[in-house]
Amino acid sequence: MTIKEVEELSNMTRANIRFYEKEGLITPQRDSNGYRNYTEQDVDILKRIRLLRTVHLGLEEIRSLSEKESELTDVLLIHLRTLKKEQKDLEQSKAICEQLCRDQAAYESFDAEHYFNLLEKAPSEIPAELEADSLPKVRAPWKRYFARLIDETIYLIFWNLILALGFHMNIRQTGWAFAVIGIIMQSVLLLMAEPVMLSRFGTTPGKFLFGFRVSAESGARLTWREAYDRTGIVLKRGLGFYIPVYGLIREYSSYRDCKKGEILEWEEDNILTLDERHMRWKVIAAVLVLGVLDILNFLVWQAGALPRNRGNITAAQYAENFNDMQKFYQIDHQLNLPEFLPPLGDSRKLLNQDGDWEKMSGKPYIVGTGVDYPELPELQFTEKDGALTEISFSSEYKDENVEIPVYGDLMALASLSYICAQEEYNLLPSPPSRLYRQVKEYGDQCSDFTISEAGVTVKASFDYSGYELRQAQYGSSDVLVPVYGKDVYFQVDFRIWQE
């Protein structure tokens, strides 16, 4: 039926019908020509709305009934209590008005304090009319917090992209210096991105998901300068420049003020509005987006481990990949020694262009430990048509009084430096951290294994007797220690090749 017919049947104006349609309480179908086509069900809903509005039921309560979030009886019982309170207030108001008339009070001279004392409510209690005569104040502190968390996570991902792809850094182990730089860059990205989005769209990704919008007091969008000033105050007074501890104090203070309904400093010259329709679905969408952003941040972290040389690499390029992998995973001890406590700083050995181990100049190195450890096994390379096709090493110790550190880190670094260089390799479903952990666990347990990934096979075999696996005397990692009185033998063969 047409809207004119609906007007007659529902006793509502066209403006009323359009309003309730905009609020999502009715959803008429549209014909092929674009005109709305209302049904008898739409008319019945409008009649129900008209009745409930006639008895002064609020629009939010009607919306909750429409979305089946509440039961009619429950809503009406609460509404009855409100009506009784309002009836009592109206009786008091009637009595005061009658008294003012009897006293022939004049606006310019009547004593308001005298009449306040006649009321049962305290003079300090704010009447509902005064609350209605103020600009709407959005509280929702937790929704606001998670909206900003989504925005901050997006800014953080951009910064991590720069570190991971530009500098091949391990973004989860950056140290204090880069933590400070990260705080500064997060502030810079916030000041760069948020004013642009607020001035152009009136919202940000996080705010959009929850239904928040920011506008000037006139209702127009903020100018870039107004949005920049607002973001600056948020950064200073709301987030404490992300400074540890101080930032948490500022966030808690803002949460407390927001919950009490106070106007926050950055909202004095602008208006924040919240569309609370379908909030349950908005919250679900926000949780899903946070999950997706967390996955993206994980992939960015893993992308930092991808070697600089990929494709058909040479032995020299493989050596560069290996050294980068050592740095990324922060293996700063010599791989033929257990990880010592306390650490001596970066004392790792690097592979040079010829594939030989060499010390880094100017770095500390252990000269004597009181325990004999074997030298690092030399890597053997096989190339075909200038491209590396195989990496291997073997070690054998017989009747030698040496403690043999586990090979987990060496095997993991050697494997990833070649596997992750293949064009066929993808971050999913086998990210570098998973491959590293898998190979390292086998190597640290001195267990045979075979792993295939991206057209590359990694195989290790161990054969030993007379040794016991236990924690090193001067380190935190495990070593194979000769058992007194037993004949000792150890052999390991490790090989990486293209299938």
Side-chain angles (χ1 to χ4, degrees):
M1 64 185 72
T2 65
I3 192 168
K4 185 175 181 180
E5 294 172 321
V6 174
E7 287 182 89
E8 295 174 355
L9 291 172
S10 65
N11 287 322
M12 283 189 181
T13 66
R14 184 167 302 200
N16 291 145
I17 297 169
R18 289 279 191 265
F19 174 77
Y20 293 129
E21 181 182 342
K22 179 177 178 294
E23 290 296 313
L25 296 175
I26 59 171
T27 54
Q29 302 297 317
R30 287 184 180 269
D31 294 330
S32 58
N33 56 12
Y35 290 104
R36 294 174 176 84
N37 185 5
Y38 296 88
T39 64
E40 291 183 1
Q41 184 181 8
D42 292 328
V43 174
D44 290 338
I45 292 173
L46 289 171
K47 287 180 179 180
R48 294 188 197 111
I49 293 172
R50 186 174 186 273
L51 174 64
L52 294 176
R53 291 299 280 158
T54 301
V55 298
H56 304 290
L57 195 66
L59 188 62
E60 289 302 317
E61 286 77 11
I62 294 174
R63 182 179 291 112
S64 70
L65 292 169
S66 174
E67 295 177 356
K68 298 182 179 180
E69 296 177 352
S70 306
E71 294 294 334
L72 180 59
T73 304
D74 297 334
V75 171
L76 290 177
L77 287 173
I78 296 172
H79 186 54
L80 278 171
R81 288 196 291 269
T82 303
L83 290 175
K84 290 177 181 178
K85 183 179 182 302
E86 289 177 352
Q87 183 179 16
K88 184 177 179 181
D89 290 343
L90 287 172
E91 290 174 354
Q92 288 192 64
S93 300
K94 176 175 175 290
I96 294 297
C97 290
E98 290 174 344
Q99 187 63 47
L100 283 165
C101 290
R102 285 194 293 268
D103 295 342
Q104 296 184 349
Y107 178 74
E108 296 82 4
S109 59
F110 81 92
D111 183 6
E113 190 68 28
H114 168 71
Y115 296 98
F116 265 127
N117 292 331
L118 298 179
L119 291 169
E120 291 185 13
K121 63 175 66 176
S124 59
E125 186 177 341
I126 300 175
E129 287 75 13
L130 283 186
E131 291 185 349
D133 292 344
S134 60
L135 291 173
K137 176 68 179 71
V138 175
R139 297 188 183 185
W142 285 109
K143 295 183 182 71
R144 297 172 68 164
Y145 170 79
F146 283 105
R148 181 155 296 281
L149 178 63
I150 289 171
D151 292 336
E152 290 172 344
T153 304
I154 293 172
Y155 305 147
L156 182 63
I157 288 175
F158 276 107
W159 171 236
N160 287 340
L161 271 172
I162 296 173
L163 295 180
L165 300 184
F167 299 94
H168 293 279
M169 291 184 61
N170 189 333
I171 60 175
R172 297 196 179 182
Q173 294 175 304
T174 54
W176 282 104
F178 271 93
V180 173
I181 295 174
I183 290 173
I184 295 172
M185 287 305 302
Q186 195 168 6
S187 301
V188 170
L189 288 170
L190 173 66
L191 288 171
M192 289 175 59
E194 189 159 302
V196 173
M197 289 186 286
L198 290 180
S199 60
R200 289 181 64 87
F201 310 110
T203 188
T204 62
K207 290 180 174 63
F208 173 79
L209 278 172
F210 283 96
F212 290 107
R213 293 193 70 82
V214 180
S215 63
E217 291 180 342
S218 63
R221 285 182 186 154
L222 300 177
T223 65
W224 180 87
R225 185 68 211 185
E226 290 170 338
Y228 181 85
D229 291 341
R230 182 187 192 278
T231 303
I233 300 174
V234 169
L235 180 61
K236 178 181 178 181
R237 302 297 298 167
L239 302 172
F241 296 105
Y242 297 109
I243 298 173
V245 182
Y246 176 67
L248 289 175
I249 293 172
R250 291 308 316 159
E251 287 191 44
Y252 175 74
S253 177
S254 301
Y255 164 80
R256 183 188 57 202
D257 293 343
C258 180
K259 193 173 182 180
K260 290 192 294 186
E262 297 181 7
I263 296 178
L264 303 176
E265 292 182 48
W266 53 89
E267 294 173 355
E268 291 181 354
D269 298 322
N270 53 79
I271 299 174
L272 178 71
T273 58
L274 172 62
D275 182 358
E276 295 194 85
R277 289 179 298 172
H278 312 298
M279 186 54 70
R280 180 185 302 173
W281 294 108
K282 291 176 181 178
V283 171
I284 293 173
V287 171
L288 292 176
V289 168
L290 278 172
V292 170
L293 290 176
D294 190 54
I295 293 172
L296 284 175
N297 209 27
F298 172 80
L299 293 177
V300 169
W301 170 45
Q302 294 298 288
L306 295 178
R308 71 176 84 176
N309 302 306
R310 302 192 69 187
N312 294 323
I313 61 174
T314 63
Q317 290 174 321
Y318 174 86
E320 291 180 346
N321 289 352
F322 186 96
N323 296 334
D324 288 343
M325 282 287 180
Q326 271 200 97
K327 185 177 180 180
F328 181 86
Y329 285 101
Q330 299 188 2
I331 310 298
D332 57 4
H333 63 282
Q334 299 175 55
L335 295 173
N336 61 315
L337 301 176
E339 187 173 354
F340 278 76
L341 296 175
L344 299 177
D346 194 348
S347 63
R348 57 199 164 102
K349 287 185 177 182
L350 303 179
L351 284 176
N352 61 23
Q353 294 295 305
D354 297 324
D356 298 323
W357 299 108
E358 64 178 24
K359 297 179 179 180
M360 294 186 294
S361 61
K363 297 294 183 179
Y365 280 88
I366 299 168
V367 177
T369 63
V371 178
D372 291 330
Y373 295 106
E375 292 294 326
L376 265 172
E378 295 295 331
L379 299 183
Q380 305 297 321
F381 302 102
T382 302
E383 293 182 319
K384 182 179 181 181
D385 299 327
L388 185 65
T389 58
E390 184 177 325
I391 307 100
S392 64
F393 70 80
S394 297
S395 296
E396 183 179 23
Y397 305 100
K398 185 177 181 181
D399 298 329
E400 297 183 43
N401 188 27
V402 295
E403 292 188 6
I404 304 172
V406 292
Y407 286 81
D409 285 323
L410 174 60
M411 291 180 172
L413 292 172
S415 301
L416 264 66
S417 300
Y418 194 62
I419 291 175
C420 295
Q422 305 305 308
E423 295 290 352
E424 297 85 355
Y425 176 73
N426 294 309
L427 290 176
L428 294 176
S430 296
S433 61
R434 178 176 175 274
L435 287 172
Y436 193 101
R437 183 171 60 252
Q438 186 178 15
V439 176
K440 178 176 169 59
E441 286 178 357
Y442 282 119
D444 285 348
Q445 296 167 8
C446 297
S447 300
D448 296 352
F449 68 91
T450 301
I451 294 174
S452 295
E453 184 67 39
V456 174
T457 300
V458 180
K459 183 175 182 179
S461 59
F462 294 86
D463 183 18
Y464 63 92
S465 61
Y467 282 98
E468 182 181 59
L469 188 64
R470 66 188 186 198
Q471 184 175 322
Q473 182 178 358
Y474 300 106
S476 59
S477 57
D478 289 340
V479 294
L480 287 171
V481 180
V483 178
Y484 180 75
K486 289 190 176 182
D487 295 331
V488 294
Y489 175 78
F490 176 86
Q491 182 179 7
V492 57
D493 292 301
F494 180 75
R495 181 175 170 232
I496 307 168
W497 74 94
Q498 281 188 330
E499 297 176 353

